[in-house]
Amino acid sequence: MYVPRNTSAGLRANFYLAATWAWLGFRLVELKVLRPLVRNHALASSGSRSVSSTGSTTSTQTRQRANRATVDPTQARFQIRKFSDGSCGAEVSGVNLSDMTRAQHRTITRALEENSVLVFQGQTTLGPRRQIGLSQRWGDIVSSRFLPQLPDFPEVTMVTEEELDTQLVFNRWHHQHSCNSIPVHYTFMLARELPEPGLQTWFADMCAAFDALSDGLKQVLSSLNVVHSTARMAQLSSRGAHQSDGPAMADQPCPDAEVVIQEAVGGVEVAHPVVIVHPGSGRRALYINELFTVRFEGWSAEESQPLLAFLFQHSTQARFVTKVHWREGMLVMWDHLRAMHLTRCGGGSEDVRAAPCLMHCTHVAAGPLAGAHGASSSA
């Protein structure tokens, strides 16, 4: 539309047209000139370009994108898979226990409270010093009373073919050091060398075993203490302690029985609650075992035997038992306040003295055991 130049309407129209062209020109200058200048200045000020170890340059934006895309491969594979058999146990993958992070430690602790037994494959870089440091992240280390210690590292005890050949401590269901007023809470066992027949450790879930009892028996057991003593171990060793294919024991000669009896002489009795309350999960578990349990407190051995025999048989049913087959470099961590165990070599008939074996063990002490009736352990 034509607008006369000498009219006020024409002047306003020309002014608006000039302003529009001026705004468009400024935007063009901003996009083409000013913004690139500002961006380049910012990149230069912050050291936008750096030299790598090979001498090549990489922009800051490229490095940032690479950092976002790079994920620690160990953490990326970190996972916990429950075992399909038994009622306890899980395998943890994607973690190097020699360099465990705080987050991984918290996750593993929760998994241990939930599963009782954790298996870690491929821990070949875990030397004695690092195994000690790993164990200490869960508490104070206590040495075994019945196993040899590793030279220069007394915190680490050794299981060799000689110990396995006694078929004593390992082939009876037990909680580590339940004959002590302060028993073991956690065990960390690392397979350095395995016998040719193979090695298995069986774990019985004592929480599940307690849960499966009748309410009436739960109430009775929750009010009792049970006496543990090395005298029981001496009695078993004098008769032999060879493990058959099933949970029941068959008495056969024990080659080193006399040595074990001498170790057990003068053993002090200690009373623990029959039913303990787990300090982490709060679940209730039976705390009785074949190797150290003698009788119920205030009962005679004869009176105690029928009920103890029933509890031993009940808690070692196949539905409560998980079997771990060892491999070299494998570390197994387990919670004695939730599971008892035994270890078997091969089919049980091989002479394991001829088959080299070396396991490194560290044990972490528990506090006084809290019972379901409110009392705790007493010496």
Side-chain angles (χ1 to χ4, degrees):
M1 178 180 64
Y2 172 76
V3 179
R5 293 181 178 272
N6 57 351
T7 63
S8 59
L11 292 175
R12 285 196 299 271
N14 290 334
F15 174 79
Y16 291 147
L17 184 61
T20 300
W21 279 108
W23 180 83
L24 290 174
F26 176 78
R27 289 291 295 164
L28 182 63
V29 171
E30 180 187 14
L31 292 174
K32 297 293 185 180
V33 180
L34 294 180
R35 283 194 178 184
L37 287 176
V38 171
R39 182 170 60 251
N40 292 337
H41 176 73
L43 290 174
S45 300
S46 61
S48 62
R49 303 184 69 82
S50 62
V51 179
S52 68
S53 59
T54 60
S56 60
T57 58
T58 307
S59 70
T60 299
Q61 289 180 328
T62 301
R63 292 200 315 274
Q64 289 174 345
R65 286 195 297 268
N67 290 339
R68 286 194 298 267
T70 301
V71 180
D72 176 27
T74 298
Q75 185 65 29
R77 297 191 304 270
F78 183 74
Q79 59 181 337
I80 299 170
R81 180 180 59 83
K82 291 179 178 292
F83 292 157
S84 58
D85 62 331
S87 59
C88 65
E91 182 171 356
V92 182
S93 58
V95 59
N96 182 356
L97 294 176
S98 297
D99 190 25
M100 180 177 57
T101 66
R102 293 181 181 179
Q104 289 172 340
H105 175 257
R106 290 191 298 268
T107 302
I108 290 170
T109 299
R110 289 193 298 269
L112 193 57
E113 290 180 357
E114 181 180 351
N115 298 286
S116 307
V117 180
L118 297 180
V119 172
F120 302 81
Q121 303 280 1
Q123 302 300 317
T124 54
T125 62
L126 195 67
R129 194 181 304 277
R130 289 186 174 183
Q131 184 173 348
I132 293 169
L134 170 71
S135 306
Q136 288 174 334
R137 297 184 72 168
W138 274 271
D140 297 327
I141 293 180
V142 56
S143 297
S144 175
R145 296 170 57 185
F146 307 108
L147 295 174
Q149 297 174 345
L150 185 67
D152 300 327
F153 297 97
E155 300 91 341
V156 180
T157 53
M158 297 184 295
V159 178
T160 68
E161 61 272 17
E162 301 234 353
E163 283 73 44
L164 289 175
D165 193 66
T166 64
Q167 300 292 322
L168 174 64
V169 173
F170 302 97
N171 276 321
R172 289 280 181 172
W173 288 104
H174 64 287
H175 302 86
Q176 204 74 23
H177 291 189
S178 70
C179 54
N180 292 357
S181 57
I182 303 298
V184 169
H185 193 165
Y186 302 113
T187 285
F188 304 76
M189 182 178 283
L190 176 63
R192 293 291 184 186
E193 187 175 8
L194 294 174
E196 187 64 29
L199 201 66
Q200 300 178 22
T201 299
W202 298 5
F203 298 94
D205 187 340
M206 302 304 275
C207 289
F210 174 78
D211 290 342
L213 295 172
S214 66
D215 291 340
L217 186 53
K218 287 179 184 177
Q219 185 174 359
V220 171
L221 295 176
S222 296
S223 65
L224 297 175
N225 287 339
V226 69
V227 176
H228 296 247
S229 173
T230 52
R232 169 68 173 167
M233 184 173 69
Q235 177 190 20
L236 292 172
S237 65
S238 66
R239 293 166 20 214
H242 179 81
Q243 168 68 31
S244 64
D245 286 340
M249 301 297 168
D251 295 331
Q252 297 185 9
C254 173
D256 296 332
E258 292 183 3
V259 176
V260 179
I261 291 173
Q262 290 175 4
E263 290 287 338
V265 168
V268 178
E269 293 185 345
V270 61
H272 296 301
V274 176
V275 181
I276 62 173
V277 178
H278 192 275
S281 66
R283 291 189 64 185
R284 299 187 177 192
L286 292 173
Y287 197 73
I288 51 105
N289 63 76
E290 289 182 311
L291 188 60
F292 295 116
T293 301
V294 179
R295 66 184 184 279
F296 295 106
E297 190 175 43
W299 297 26
S300 68
E302 292 75 18
E303 292 169 336
S304 303
Q305 195 279 330
L307 182 52
L308 286 176
F310 166 78
L311 293 175
F312 295 154
Q313 187 277 332
H314 167 77
S315 58
T316 57
Q317 295 179 66
R319 57 178 171 151
F320 304 134
V321 173
T322 297
K323 300 178 182 180
V324 172
H325 299 260
W326 286 91
R327 298 177 182 174
E328 289 188 7
M330 175 192 293
L331 182 136
V332 178
M333 176 191 311
W334 70 90
D335 185 343
H336 291 276
L337 304 189
R338 287 198 49 168
M340 64 176 178
H341 71 285
L342 60 81
T343 297
R344 303 183 62 238
C345 182
S349 60
E350 294 84 357
D351 181 4
V352 295
R353 285 182 187 268
C357 176
L358 179 60
M359 316 283 282
H360 284 178
C361 302
T362 45
H363 307 294
V364 171
L369 304 184
H373 50 61
S376 58
S377 304
S378 61

